[in-house]
Amino acid sequence: MATSTVENYIKQIYLLQQNTSGERVSVGKLAAMMGVVPGTATSMVKALADSELVEYEPRAGLRLTRGGEQLALHVLRRHRLVELFLVNVLGLDWSEVHEEAEDLEHAISDKVLNKIDAYLNSPQFDPHGDPIPSARGKVPDMECRSIADCPVGRSFRISRITDQDSKFLQFAERNGLTPGVTIRITDRNSEADAVTIHVSGRRVMLGTSAATKILVEDKAARTR
Amino acid sequence: MATSTVENYIKQIYLLQQNTSGERVSVGKLAAMMGVVPGTATSMVKALADSELVEYEPRAGLRLTRGGEQLALHVLRRHRLVELFLVNVLGLDWSEVHEEAEDLEHAISDKVLNKIDAYLNSPQFDPHGDPIPSARGKVPDMECRSIADCPVGRSFRISRITDQDSKFLQFAERNGLTPGVTIRITDRNSEADAVTIHVSGRRVMLGTSAATKILVEDKAARTR
DNA sequence: ATAATAATTTTGAATGCTCAAAATATAGAG
DNA sequence: CTCTATATTTTGAGCATTCAAAATTATTAT
Ligand SMILES: [Mn+2]
Ligand SMILES: [Mn+2]
Ligand SMILES: [Mn+2]
Ligand SMILES: [Mn+2]
């Protein structure tokens, strides 16, 4: 029913809402993320509002409706299951699957999706640690903060990388910074804008903006 | 580069050319197969001619160029590898994969396609016995005729089912009529418009129009 | 409060694909 | 050779998506 353009907009709105923790999304931000001119976003948003996928207050911004959120979660489920399948079964690199999934997420039927889900044993997280919404739209919760604001001296488990850029993912992999890995934060220097961590022997230094993209949780936590 | 609409048209033109063994395809036939109104096909064909994918002689018909044929073979390769993957790896039924592949064929990158090909060990035929063009556009040749015009009394191996309709495929499967299976043609009655065959003990009667859809080859032939 | 600035919306136009219906060409029947 | 049935093309229009550029509104600085 929904075109892939609509699915992409809705997914992006969902992701923007996540960052700004629930506030209304601005048309400008949306346009920027979608790589379109602002006027294009405006007219698209009007169409989405007509289909009752978003609530739209001209000049104030927009927010997903319940239906919009469900669609977003369904797209995200397809995207992330596909990513995991490509990595675990077909052996693609985690740095390249995001692009692939960007197209496949619109072409996978529920029938195939369920087979993939079963094949992978109903996983909860994708290769980047992103939560995979369930078929009913439940998102596995994960309480985690970024390396950028973790106390020095403690150990953590990497749970998620929040940047799909393939250069960054390759860098992370080269340095052993992948979900599940245990790291120890050994130093933070706010003047130098950097954090030092230890990961399996190695010492790695990260600038704050890179550190922000790596989320961790307490050593004790989750089964993954 | 090519939209999925263009890919679908080009693929369909290729398939029509196969049937009519190389003659020019008429716009009307194409429109019918694509499920569009004739005028739509005319304007699409003009666009395809502008992109040099077909040679078009108004009112006389059209034919794929070399480039068009290559595109068709590439789409067909994706379609058929996907079908086989869905059946062999994800366990979908052969009667349902055609529909699935119809969308996926446009969303699979070469990178993923190569992984699938390797995973399946570079197969030559899909679940319906359709030949899978190689990455370089070579089509595995198969010399086969339909059950409808095979001599009575001899044995053959089923090599291909040329009908994607899921009801027909389910019927075929129920009666053990799948590629690789050996059958024996025991009777033909042109008045009754029917053929009788034996397949693993069972006796099956087929009307000519059904028999035409099942292709066989000499018992001796091919490694599959 | 006014003016400058930034964000947003509107307008007008293009592209790709489609349909309905009218116009035209072609082939076969008489 | 003329008429008619059939296939094909043309015309005019709509939908989804996009851009460029102009118009409008909201925000901020003075
Ligand atoms: Mn996408
Ligand atoms: Mn991911
Ligand atoms: Mn298709
Ligand atoms: Mn097939």
Side-chain angles (χ1 to χ4, degrees):
Chain A
M1 202 73 294
T3 65
S4 41
T5 306
V6 166
E7 289 189 343
N8 285 333
Y9 273 92
I10 291 297
K11 184 180 61 168
Q12 197 54 64
I13 293 166
Y14 178 90
L15 295 173
L16 283 169
Q17 264 181 205
Q18 293 298 100
N19 294 355
T20 62
S21 44
E23 287 168 54
R24 261 196 289 234
V25 171
S26 78
V27 169
K29 284 272 157 54
L30 178 58
M33 296 303 292
M34 293 301 297
V36 298
V37 117
T40 300
T42 298
S43 63
M44 191 64 211
V45 164
K46 280 187 196 166
L48 297 176
D50 286 348
S51 326
E52 315 213 29
L53 291 167
V54 307
E55 282 166 35
Y56 169 49
E57 201 71 69
R59 239 121 204 160
L62 54 134
R63 183 199 325 254
L64 291 180
T65 62
R66 191 79 191 89
E69 191 187 343
Q70 264 162 12
L71 177 55
L73 291 170
H74 195 229
V75 177
L76 239 20
R77 174 170 166 79
R78 288 185 302 227
H79 184 104
R80 292 173 180 170
L81 276 174
V82 164
E83 282 189 347
L84 191 64
F85 189 82
L86 292 178
V87 169
N88 285 9
V89 180
L90 289 180
L92 292 241
D93 194 83
W94 81 328
S95 67
E96 52 190 4
V97 293
H98 180 73
E99 320 302 322
E100 302 289 341
E102 208 51 63
D103 283 345
L104 286 168
E105 67 188 359
H106 312 293
I108 296 276
S109 72
D110 281 356
K111 208 181 279 181
V112 172
L113 190 67
N114 287 336
K115 292 287 188 179
I116 290 178
D117 183 55
Y119 195 99
L120 296 171
N121 254 293
S122 300
Q124 297 209 275
F125 300 94
D126 84 359
H128 315 101
D130 298 318
I132 299 173
S134 78
R136 275 147 248 85
K138 264 247 154 318
V139 183
D141 51 277
M142 42 196 322
E143 18 161 330
C144 49
R145 39 197 167 157
S146 96
I147 289 187
D149 41 48
C150 273
V152 171
R154 297 253 307 285
S155 279
F156 298 93
R157 189 199 310 270
I158 294 181
S159 56
R160 187 173 184 184
I161 314 291
T162 64
D163 182 351
Q164 307 298 326
D165 178 70
S166 93
K167 292 285 174 206
F168 183 74
L169 290 172
Q170 278 161 18
F171 159 80
E173 188 167 38
R174 257 199 321 280
N175 291 93
L177 300 172
T178 56
V181 166
T182 296
I183 65 164
R184 186 175 182 75
I185 304 189
T186 53
D187 188 58
R188 158 170 296 110
N189 183 330
S190 18
E191 281 66 44
D193 207 47
V195 194
T196 305
I197 66 184
H198 272 74
V199 46
S200 56
R202 240 172 322 198
R203 206 174 65 90
V204 182
M205 266 196 53
L206 296 172
T208 301
S209 88
T212 310
K213 301 174 188 168
I214 300 178
L215 307 190
V216 297
E217 60 193 348
D218 276 335
K219 202 62 214 310
R222 191 164 337 287
T223 329
R224 316 185 102 260
Chain B
M1 203 71 296
T3 65
S4 40
T5 306
V6 166
E7 290 190 342
N8 285 333
Y9 273 92
I10 291 297
K11 185 181 61 169
Q12 197 54 64
I13 294 166
Y14 177 90
L15 295 175
L16 282 170
Q17 265 182 203
Q18 293 298 100
N19 293 356
T20 63
S21 44
E23 288 167 53
R24 262 196 288 234
V25 171
S26 78
V27 169
K29 285 272 157 54
L30 179 57
M33 295 305 292
M34 293 300 298
V36 298
V37 116
T40 300
T42 299
S43 64
M44 191 64 210
V45 164
K46 280 187 195 165
L48 297 177
D50 286 348
S51 325
E52 314 212 31
L53 291 168
V54 306
E55 281 166 35
Y56 169 49
E57 201 71 69
R59 244 129 199 155
L62 54 134
R63 184 199 323 255
L64 290 181
T65 62
R66 191 78 192 87
E69 191 187 342
Q70 264 162 12
L71 177 55
L73 290 170
H74 195 230
V75 177
L76 240 19
R77 174 171 166 79
R78 288 185 302 226
H79 185 103
R80 292 172 179 169
L81 275 174
V82 164
E83 282 189 347
L84 191 63
F85 189 82
L86 292 178
V87 169
N88 285 7
V89 180
L90 289 181
L92 290 244
D93 194 82
W94 80 330
S95 67
E96 52 190 3
V97 293
H98 180 73
E99 320 303 322
E100 302 289 342
E102 208 50 63
D103 282 346
L104 287 168
E105 67 188 0
H106 312 292
I108 296 276
S109 73
D110 281 356
K111 207 181 280 180
V112 172
L113 190 67
N114 287 336
K115 292 289 189 178
I116 290 178
D117 183 54
Y119 194 98
L120 295 171
N121 254 293
S122 300
Q124 298 208 276
F125 300 93
D126 85 359
H128 314 101
D130 299 318
I132 298 172
S134 78
R136 276 147 250 85
K138 263 247 155 320
V139 183
D141 51 277
M142 41 195 327
E143 19 160 331
C144 49
R145 38 194 170 160
S146 94
I147 289 186
D149 41 47
C150 273
V152 171
R154 299 251 308 284
S155 278
F156 299 94
R157 189 199 310 271
I158 295 181
S159 56
R160 188 174 182 183
I161 313 291
T162 62
D163 182 353
Q164 308 298 327
D165 179 70
S166 94
K167 292 285 174 208
F168 183 75
L169 290 172
Q170 278 161 18
F171 158 80
E173 187 166 41
R174 258 201 319 280
N175 290 93
L177 300 172
T178 56
V181 166
T182 296
I183 65 163
R184 186 175 183 74
I185 303 190
T186 52
D187 188 57
R188 158 169 297 110
N189 183 330
S190 15
E191 281 64 45
D193 207 50
V195 195
T196 305
I197 65 183
H198 272 75
V199 46
S200 55
R202 238 172 322 197
R203 206 174 66 91
V204 182
M205 267 197 50
L206 296 172
T208 302
S209 86
T212 311
K213 301 174 188 168
I214 301 178
L215 307 190
V216 297
E217 60 193 346
D218 276 335
K219 202 63 215 311
R222 190 166 339 287
T223 328
R224 318 188 98 259

